[in-house]
Amino acid sequence: MSLFKQLLLAICLFLLVAFAGSFVVSLETSRGQYANQLRAHAQDAATALGLSLAPHIDDPAMAELMVSSIFDSGYYSSIRVVGLDGSVIVERQGGPDGGNAPAWFARLVGLRAEGGDAIVSRGWQQAARVEVISHPLFAVDRLWRSALGWLGWLLLCGLVSAVLGALLLRRQLRPLDYLVEQSRAIARREFLSLPELPRTPELRRVVEAMNQMVEKLKALFREEALRSERLHAEAYRDSLTGLGNRRHFDLQLQSRLTGEERASSGFMLVLRIDDLAGLNQRLGGQQADRLLIAVAEQLRLAASGHDLVARTRGGEFAILAAGLERDAAERLAGRLDQAMTSLYHTGACDRLPVAHLGLTPFSAGEAPGDLYRALDEALAQASSQSGPRWACREPDAVAPPADERDGWYRRLDRALEAGLFRLHFQPVIAAGESGGVLHYKVLARLPDEQGRLLAAGQFLPWLERFGWSARLDLTMLEQVLRHLEAHDGRFALSLTGATLRDPLALERLAELLQRHARLGGRLILEADEDQLPEPAALEALARRLHGLGFALGVQHFGGRFSLIGNLARLGLAHLKVDGSYIRDIDREDDKRLFIEAMYRATHSIDLPLIAERVESDGEWQVVQTMGFAGGQGRRLGEPAPWARGL
């Protein structure tokens, strides 16, 4: 059999297996979704009917009328109103006529009737119970139509794919082009293996040797990445819940409060499980662990993606929500209060209250001790009050001005429109003997009414609240490109997550870069680790920037270490390690172990590491001895306006 026929047969078999598996998985997923919808439908109807019957439960005629009005919609097989003594007050049974789906399909999917119930109250007393059972016929019909459409689409895709595959296989391979592409990928620090070998024996041996080299590098990188991730998890993760631990939380809190560029404002929330020790004694350690895991999951669901969630000690959890306003913070506390009550009703805990919550605002410059004291006061207040089980306390007696939001709105809007932001530059110094400047980090400064320059940490949270982060990125990029036109040097500029997630903003950014493509070798665009898009979108962004001649770097790296497995394909200019892991690295050996593992992983793909927030001689000495390419921080140079001697 010819190679063409073998490959075509393999493609057809693969498509058959893939499409069949996709069809089965899609059908099973849809079945599960419809089953959940049936349960939700029945429960919603029961709840609504229970609330509606409350004032009329002693009027049988009205109760029957209300039950009939819902039952006659045809979506239910049974609706019953049962008294507390078991007597049936109202009952309607039946079902719709036969649907469009064949009987064998209905038997195959096996959708069952799902039910829900609710309590009818008379004042503060329970008067009756409503039982509702949804009929699955309508769900089966919809599932049948969906299955037909999905099957037709898969067959069409399979046919088109088979035809296109046959046409593509007839084209002769161009091994030299493949070799050139692989060589260019290695130069970009991308490690690609060629899936098909050329027919020419000499070229085949060359490609095989390059593939072996690439696979060895990738295997080494994966091994070091896994080791680094394991060390990070041991040092900064809670083994039971998978959340960050107290050490990780304090590092990030310190960064938010003291880091000039990363400092921000927002709210900090602490949740403390009530009487965890007593729960251990009453229900046992396993039940207590399950409660902790359930609480952690509720916190994950309630917090947004960029909030920091951690388990700070035994039964205490914390959320650090940068950029959160008071109304949103109070709504978050209310949702968590309800979630804790639901854990009691589901049997995760044997008594109420399950937990108390404390809430306090934070801003740059505050001491962590003051925040924790305010949270302790809030928890004490929450435990003593009879209403909601959460309370909010200010870390000091001074409340923010009522018109602060309007003032920031006008000031930032005017600054963005008029381009009032000023550029400051902080040198990134090489760690070698030369000690030269690798590039300059571009930082934004905003003059206030008194002429003082505000650091980014003071106005970035407000830009995020107003949804203007992308506007700032484009404004800063325009100013940096004008600076590049007039001055020499290499520079790095940060992009916010709002720009990375907005296709329109990315298009405008790409247009600006394309008009200044000749400056591409002198500008690196950096993205925060916690604001990176999905791997596929990130890879597409990196390739697009490379195509325009610009480089991509990642800053504040270290919190989501699992991302390091995807870095080999991106061709990054550098990786900047978050300053929280560099702080006191000369005195904390566990940080050195983690950073050494990170260095081994990145060194295997020749990816330079740069240390952020180097602020002491000891930290700089350790950074130099560990193999970092360079460092950035006050020890090496303060941010300053551009000057001729800079």
Side-chain angles (χ1 to χ4, degrees), residues 249-259 320 368 583 613:
F249 185 84
D250 285 344
L251 286 175
Q252 298 303 314
L253 176 61
Q254 188 72 21
S255 177
R256 294 292 185 183
L257 297 179
T258 62
L320 188 66
R583 185 182 180 89
R613 293 182 63 191

Side-chain angles (χ1 to χ4, degrees), residues 185-186 188-192 218 221-222 225 228 527-529 532-533 535 538-539 542-543 546 552-555 557-558 560-577 598-599 601-609:
I186 293 175
R188 298 193 302 265
R189 301 188 185 95
E190 300 177 27
F191 297 90
L192 306 176
K218 289 169 66 176
F221 180 75
R222 284 194 297 267
S228 300
D528 286 8
E529 176 212 52
L532 292 176
L538 179 60
E539 186 171 354
R543 292 187 181 277
H546 292 153
L552 177 67
V554 174
Q555 63 180 357
F557 187 82
R560 295 168 56 197
F561 203 78
S562 58
L563 290 174
I564 202 169
N566 300 317
L567 298 182
R569 301 193 301 271
L570 300 180
L572 298 177
H574 55 245
L575 196 68
K576 290 187 176 179
V577 180
M598 183 191 298
Y599 171 76
T602 55
H603 181 69
S604 65
I605 59 171
D606 195 26
L607 177 59
L609 279 184

Side-chain angles (χ1 to χ4, degrees), residues 1 118 138 143 191 206 262 267 278 337 376 495 540 577 621 632:
M1 184 181 294
F138 297 98
L143 192 58
F191 297 90
V206 174
R262 296 196 70 192
F267 273 81
D337 187 13
D376 287 338
L495 297 178
V577 180
Q621 291 175 3
Q632 170 187 339

Side-chain angles (χ1 to χ4, degrees), residues 40 51 98 112 158 266 279 330 384 436 449 487 511 583 585 592:
L51 293 174
R112 303 188 306 272
L279 179 66
E330 292 178 352
S384 63
E449 290 79 359
H487 303 90
E511 292 175 3
R583 185 182 180 89
I585 194 173
R592 298 187 61 172

Side-chain angles (χ1 to χ4, degrees), residues 498-608:
T499 298
L500 300 177
R501 293 187 296 268
D502 186 353
L504 294 178
L506 284 177
E507 287 298 326
R508 294 175 60 190
L509 181 140
E511 292 175 3
L512 270 175
L513 296 178
Q514 192 168 14
R515 292 201 299 267
H516 299 81
R518 64 188 181 280
L519 305 174
R522 298 171 51 204
L523 179 60
I524 305 168
L525 297 176
E526 295 181 340
D528 286 8
E529 176 212 52
D530 58 357
Q531 295 185 349
L532 292 176
E534 295 298 322
L538 179 60
E539 186 171 354
L541 174 63
R543 292 187 181 277
R544 187 169 189 181
L545 291 177
H546 292 153
L548 294 171
F550 295 84
L552 177 67
V554 174
Q555 63 180 357
H556 308 325
F557 187 82
R560 295 168 56 197
F561 203 78
S562 58
L563 290 174
I564 202 169
N566 300 317
L567 298 182
R569 301 193 301 271
L570 300 180
L572 298 177
H574 55 245
L575 196 68
K576 290 187 176 179
V577 180
D578 188 80
S580 61
Y581 300 101
I582 303 300
R583 185 182 180 89
D584 297 328
I585 194 173
D586 53 327
R587 297 195 295 269
E588 299 182 12
D589 292 337
D590 58 335
K591 289 185 178 179
R592 298 187 61 172
L593 291 174
F594 167 59
I595 298 300
E596 285 173 354
M598 183 191 298
Y599 171 76
R600 288 193 296 268
T602 55
H603 181 69
S604 65
I605 59 171
D606 195 26
L607 177 59

